[in-house]
C-alpha cells in the first residue's frame, strides 16, 4: 500500500461503501484500539459460542444486516475513532472473477483474465493493459490492481488441481503468468521466449 495510505488509515478495505470489510483481504493497524474492535460488536458473543461459520468479518452470511465487522467498522469510522480507507469508483484496488452486470445473482465471468507481469497485477489485459506471454486472452478495460480474489474459480476442478508451482521451475517463480477461466498459463521454464503452457 502507498505510504500516505498507511500513515493516514487504521483500516484499509478493497471494497466500496457500504460493505466496509472484506475478510482477510484487508489491512488493520496493529494497535490495541484496532485489534480489539471486534469486541464492540453485539454479535461477538454469538460468534464465539457458535460452532458454525458466521462470516463475521464480511458483509454477507448469517450476520448480514446485523452487528458484524463491517457494521462495527462503519460505526466507529462515523464516530471518528477509526480512520477507514475504502476503494472508490475511480480507484479500485481489488478485482474478482464474478460478472455482476446483467445478472440477478453474480456468476462466473467467462471473459475473466488476469496477468501478473514483472511485479504488477492487471485484470483484463489486452489492448488497454499489459499483455502477458505475448497473449491477449480477453478484451476489456484493463486496469492495475493490488488484490485478485478467485471467489468462484477457486471452487472449480481445474483450479483445485493446480500445484503451488510446477516442479519444472525448480523453486523459481516466473516473472509473468496469466489466469483465465481455462486455467493458469506460464512460460515454458526452459525458454526465455513468450511460449506458454496451461497447467
Amino acid at each position: 500500500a502507498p505510504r500516505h495510505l498507511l500513515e493516514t488509515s487504521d483500516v484499509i478495505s478493497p471494497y466500496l461503501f457500504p460493505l466496509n470489510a472484506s475478510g482477510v483481504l484487508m489491512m488493520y493497524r496493529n494497535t490495541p484500539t484496532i485489534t480489539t474492535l471486534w469486541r464492540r460488536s453485539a454479535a461477538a458473543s454469538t460468534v464465539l459460542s457458535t460452532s458454525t461459520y458466521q462470516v463475521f468479518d464480511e458483509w454477507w452470511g448469517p450476520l448480514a444486516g446485523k452487528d458484524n465487522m463491517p457494521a462495527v467498522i462503519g460505526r466507529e469510522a462515523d464516530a471518528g475513532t477509526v480512520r477507514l480507507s475504502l476503494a472508490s469508483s475511480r480507484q479500485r484496488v481489488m478485482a474478482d472473477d464474478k460478472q455482476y452486470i446483467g445478472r440477478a445473482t453474480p456468476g462466473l465471468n467467462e471473459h475473466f483474465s488476469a496477468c501478473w507481469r514483472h511485479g504488477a497485477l492487471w485484470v483484463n489485459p489486452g489492448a488497454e493493459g499489459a499483455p502477458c506471454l505475448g497473449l491477449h486472452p480477453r478484451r476489456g478495460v484493463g486496469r492495475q490492481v493490488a488484490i485478485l480474489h478467485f471467489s468462484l474459480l477457486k471452487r472449480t476442478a481445474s483450479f483445485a488441481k493446480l500445484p503451488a508451482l510446477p516442479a519444472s521451475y525448480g523453486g523459481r517463480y516466473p516473472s509473468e503468468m496469466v489466469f483465465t477461466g481455462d486455467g493458469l498459463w506460464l512460460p515454458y521454464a526452459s525458454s526465455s521466449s513468450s511460449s506458454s503452457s496451461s497447467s
Side-chain angles (χ1 to χ4, degrees):
R3 180 180 294 274
H4 70 88
L5 190 61
L6 294 173
E7 292 175 347
T8 59
S9 306
D10 297 313
V11 177
I12 301 173
S13 171
Y15 277 0
L16 298 165
F17 175 83
L19 301 182
N20 296 344
S22 61
V24 298
L25 305 175
M26 297 180 60
M27 298 181 77
Y28 289 85
R29 186 173 298 282
N30 189 15
T31 63
T33 298
I34 302 305
T35 59
T36 58
L37 271 179
W38 64 272
R39 295 181 180 177
R40 301 182 190 187
S41 167
S45 60
T46 300
V47 173
L48 293 174
S49 62
T50 303
S51 60
T52 58
Y53 181 44
Q54 297 295 298
V55 201
F56 177 64
D57 57 347
E58 296 196 54
W59 55 270
W60 62 280
L63 296 175
K66 300 179 182 176
D67 206 29
N68 54 17
M69 274 305 285
V72 172
I73 291 170
R75 183 171 63 241
E76 296 299 322
D78 288 344
T81 56
V82 168
R83 297 172 299 171
L84 172 61
S85 175
L86 297 169
S88 68
S89 57
R90 297 182 66 185
Q91 184 175 358
R92 299 284 303 275
V93 297
M94 184 179 82
D96 64 24
D97 53 11
K98 290 180 180 176
Q99 175 69 42
Y100 297 90
I101 299 172
R103 295 180 184 230
T105 303
L108 180 64
N109 180 357
E110 297 173 356
H111 301 292
F112 168 82
S113 64
C115 165
W116 172 261
R117 186 170 193 262
H118 304 296
L121 181 60
W122 296 80
V123 290
N124 296 325
E128 300 85 359
C132 277
L133 311 177
L135 300 174
H136 295 269
R138 301 288 189 272
R139 295 293 179 179
V141 178
R143 61 187 171 92
Q144 194 171 354
V145 296
I147 300 169
L148 183 59
H149 185 202
F150 295 112
S151 56
L152 296 178
L153 283 174
K154 67 185 177 186
R155 297 180 174 94
T156 63
S158 58
F159 267 67
K161 294 177 183 177
L162 286 175
L165 190 68
S168 60
Y169 279 88
R172 292 177 290 110
Y173 287 89
S175 62
E176 57 186 315
M177 62 187 81
V178 173
F179 299 92
T180 73
D182 300 317
L184 168 64
W185 301 81
L186 297 165
Y188 287 119
S190 59
S191 172
S192 59
S193 70
S194 61
S195 300
S196 61
S197 63
S198 175
S199 297

